[in-house]
PDB file of all heavy atoms in Angstrom:
ATOM      1  N   ALA A 191      45.373  10.111  26.233  1.00  0.00           N
ATOM      2  CA  ALA A 191      45.194   9.436  24.935  1.00  0.00           C
ATOM      3  C   ALA A 191      43.886   8.640  24.940  1.00  0.00           C
ATOM      4  O   ALA A 191      43.120   8.669  23.971  1.00  0.00           O
ATOM      5  CB  ALA A 191      46.374   8.516  24.648  1.00  0.00           C
ATOM      6  N   LEU A 192      43.633   7.950  26.039  1.00  0.00           N
ATOM      7  CA  LEU A 192      42.380   7.192  26.135  1.00  0.00           C
ATOM      8  C   LEU A 192      41.184   8.139  26.088  1.00  0.00           C
ATOM      9  O   LEU A 192      40.189   7.882  25.400  1.00  0.00           O
ATOM     10  CB  LEU A 192      42.355   6.363  27.433  1.00  0.00           C
ATOM     11  CG  LEU A 192      41.040   5.606  27.642  1.00  0.00           C
ATOM     12  CD1 LEU A 192      40.879   4.486  26.617  1.00  0.00           C
ATOM     13  CD2 LEU A 192      40.943   5.034  29.047  1.00  0.00           C
ATOM     14  N   ASP A 193      41.305   9.253  26.813  1.00  0.00           N
ATOM     15  CA  ASP A 193      40.233  10.241  26.826  1.00  0.00           C
ATOM     16  C   ASP A 193      39.942  10.728  25.393  1.00  0.00           C
ATOM     17  O   ASP A 193      38.799  10.910  24.990  1.00  0.00           O
ATOM     18  CB  ASP A 193      40.651  11.410  27.724  1.00  0.00           C
ATOM     19  CG  ASP A 193      39.453  12.224  28.170  1.00  0.00           C
ATOM     20  OD1 ASP A 193      38.658  11.699  28.969  1.00  0.00           O
ATOM     21  OD2 ASP A 193      39.299  13.368  27.703  1.00  0.00           O
ATOM     22  N   ARG A 194      41.007  10.907  24.632  1.00  0.00           N
ATOM     23  CA  ARG A 194      40.858  11.364  23.252  1.00  0.00           C
ATOM     24  C   ARG A 194      40.165  10.306  22.388  1.00  0.00           C
ATOM     25  O   ARG A 194      39.298  10.622  21.576  1.00  0.00           O
ATOM     26  CB  ARG A 194      42.239  11.672  22.685  1.00  0.00           C
ATOM     27  CG  ARG A 194      42.166  12.557  21.497  1.00  0.00           C
ATOM     28  CD  ARG A 194      43.513  13.012  21.082  1.00  0.00           C
ATOM     29  NE  ARG A 194      43.544  14.463  20.978  1.00  0.00           N
ATOM     30  CZ  ARG A 194      44.372  15.105  20.169  1.00  0.00           C
ATOM     31  NH1 ARG A 194      45.241  14.447  19.450  1.00  0.00           N
ATOM     32  NH2 ARG A 194      44.336  16.406  20.081  1.00  0.00           N
ATOM     33  N   ILE A 195      40.532   9.051  22.604  1.00  0.00           N
ATOM     34  CA  ILE A 195      39.850   7.962  21.880  1.00  0.00           C
ATOM     35  C   ILE A 195      38.354   8.036  22.176  1.00  0.00           C
ATOM     36  O   ILE A 195      37.518   7.914  21.282  1.00  0.00           O
ATOM     37  CB  ILE A 195      40.405   6.574  22.313  1.00  0.00           C
ATOM     38  CG1 ILE A 195      41.843   6.399  21.835  1.00  0.00           C
ATOM     39  CG2 ILE A 195      39.523   5.443  21.782  1.00  0.00           C
ATOM     40  CD1 ILE A 195      42.490   5.089  22.251  1.00  0.00           C
ATOM     41  N   LEU A 196      38.023   8.285  23.436  1.00  0.00           N
ATOM     42  CA  LEU A 196      36.608   8.340  23.830  1.00  0.00           C
ATOM     43  C   LEU A 196      35.910   9.515  23.154  1.00  0.00           C
ATOM     44  O   LEU A 196      34.792   9.385  22.652  1.00  0.00           O
ATOM     45  CB  LEU A 196      36.475   8.447  25.356  1.00  0.00           C
ATOM     46  CG  LEU A 196      37.073   7.284  26.175  1.00  0.00           C
ATOM     47  CD1 LEU A 196      36.873   7.528  27.665  1.00  0.00           C
ATOM     48  CD2 LEU A 196      36.473   5.947  25.768  1.00  0.00           C
ATOM     49  N   ILE A 197      36.571  10.674  23.123  1.00  0.00           N
ATOM     50  CA  ILE A 197      35.962  11.856  22.481  1.00  0.00           C
ATOM     51  C   ILE A 197      35.723  11.580  20.990  1.00  0.00           C
ATOM     52  O   ILE A 197      34.649  11.851  20.464  1.00  0.00           O
ATOM     53  CB  ILE A 197      36.866  13.101  22.662  1.00  0.00           C
ATOM     54  CG1 ILE A 197      36.910  13.512  24.135  1.00  0.00           C
ATOM     55  CG2 ILE A 197      36.402  14.261  21.775  1.00  0.00           C
ATOM     56  CD1 ILE A 197      37.913  14.625  24.454  1.00  0.00           C
ATOM     57  N   LEU A 198      36.741  11.017  20.332  1.00  0.00           N
ATOM     58  CA  LEU A 198      36.643  10.820  18.877  1.00  0.00           C
ATOM     59  C   LEU A 198      35.579   9.790  18.494  1.00  0.00           C
ATOM     60  O   LEU A 198      35.069   9.810  17.380  1.00  0.00           O
ATOM     61  CB  LEU A 198      37.992  10.383  18.295  1.00  0.00           C
ATOM     62  CG  LEU A 198      39.150  11.371  18.455  1.00  0.00           C
ATOM     63  CD1 LEU A 198      40.395  10.855  17.756  1.00  0.00           C
ATOM     64  CD2 LEU A 198      38.780  12.745  17.901  1.00  0.00           C
ATOM     65  N   HIS A 199      35.283   8.861  19.416  1.00  0.00           N
ATOM     66  CA  HIS A 199      34.298   7.820  19.100  1.00  0.00           C
ATOM     67  C   HIS A 199      32.917   8.108  19.690  1.00  0.00           C
ATOM     68  O   HIS A 199      32.016   7.284  19.586  1.00  0.00           O
ATOM     69  CB  HIS A 199      34.774   6.462  19.638  1.00  0.00           C
ATOM     70  CG  HIS A 199      35.906   5.870  18.856  1.00  0.00           C
ATOM     71  ND1 HIS A 199      37.205   6.213  19.068  1.00  0.00           N
ATOM     72  CD2 HIS A 199      35.924   4.952  17.853  1.00  0.00           C
ATOM     73  CE1 HIS A 199      37.983   5.528  18.244  1.00  0.00           C
ATOM     74  NE2 HIS A 199      37.232   4.760  17.493  1.00  0.00           N
ATOM     75  N   ALA A 200      32.751   9.270  20.318  1.00  0.00           N
ATOM     76  CA  ALA A 200      31.541   9.489  21.131  1.00  0.00           C
ATOM     77  C   ALA A 200      30.243   9.515  20.325  1.00  0.00           C
ATOM     78  O   ALA A 200      29.210   9.038  20.798  1.00  0.00           O
ATOM     79  CB  ALA A 200      31.682  10.774  21.943  1.00  0.00           C
ATOM     80  N   ASP A 201      30.278  10.083  19.125  1.00  0.00           N
ATOM     81  CA  ASP A 201      29.056  10.047  18.305  1.00  0.00           C
ATOM     82  C   ASP A 201      29.431  10.150  16.835  1.00  0.00           C
ATOM     83  O   ASP A 201      30.514  10.644  16.499  1.00  0.00           O
ATOM     84  CB  ASP A 201      28.095  11.182  18.683  1.00  0.00           C
ATOM     85  CG  ASP A 201      26.704  10.919  18.095  1.00  0.00           C
ATOM     86  OD1 ASP A 201      26.192   9.791  18.266  1.00  0.00           O
ATOM     87  OD2 ASP A 201      26.142  11.818  17.435  1.00  0.00           O
ATOM     88  N   HIS A 202      28.583   9.664  15.971  1.00  0.00           N
ATOM     89  CA  HIS A 202      28.855   9.767  14.542  1.00  0.00           C
ATOM     90  C   HIS A 202      27.563   9.687  13.762  1.00  0.00           C
ATOM     91  O   HIS A 202      27.422   8.879  12.843  1.00  0.00           O
ATOM     92  CB  HIS A 202      29.859   8.687  14.117  1.00  0.00           C
ATOM     93  CG  HIS A 202      30.765   9.157  13.036  1.00  0.00           C
ATOM     94  ND1 HIS A 202      31.027   8.426  11.910  1.00  0.00           N
ATOM     95  CD2 HIS A 202      31.452  10.304  12.905  1.00  0.00           C
ATOM     96  CE1 HIS A 202      31.843   9.118  11.138  1.00  0.00           C
ATOM     97  NE2 HIS A 202      32.119  10.258  11.707  1.00  0.00           N
ATOM     98  N   GLU A 203      26.647  10.485  14.113  1.00  0.00           N
ATOM     99  CA  GLU A 203      25.266  10.551  13.590  1.00  0.00           C
ATOM    100  C   GLU A 203      24.655   9.180  13.299  1.00  0.00           C
ATOM    101  O   GLU A 203      24.759   8.308  14.138  1.00  0.00           O
ATOM    102  CB  GLU A 203      25.108  11.626  12.502  1.00  0.00           C
ATOM    103  CG  GLU A 203      26.102  11.614  11.344  1.00  0.00           C
ATOM    104  CD  GLU A 203      25.442  11.405   9.998  1.00  0.00           C
ATOM    105  OE1 GLU A 203      24.699  10.415   9.822  1.00  0.00           O
ATOM    106  OE2 GLU A 203      25.715  12.237   9.091  1.00  0.00           O
TER     107      GLU A 203
END
Side-chain angles (χ1 to χ4, degrees):
L192 177 69
D193 200 69
R194 200 171 233 207
I195 292 178
L196 300 180
I197 293 173
L198 298 184
H199 287 83
D201 195 49
H202 214 228
E203 51 119 306

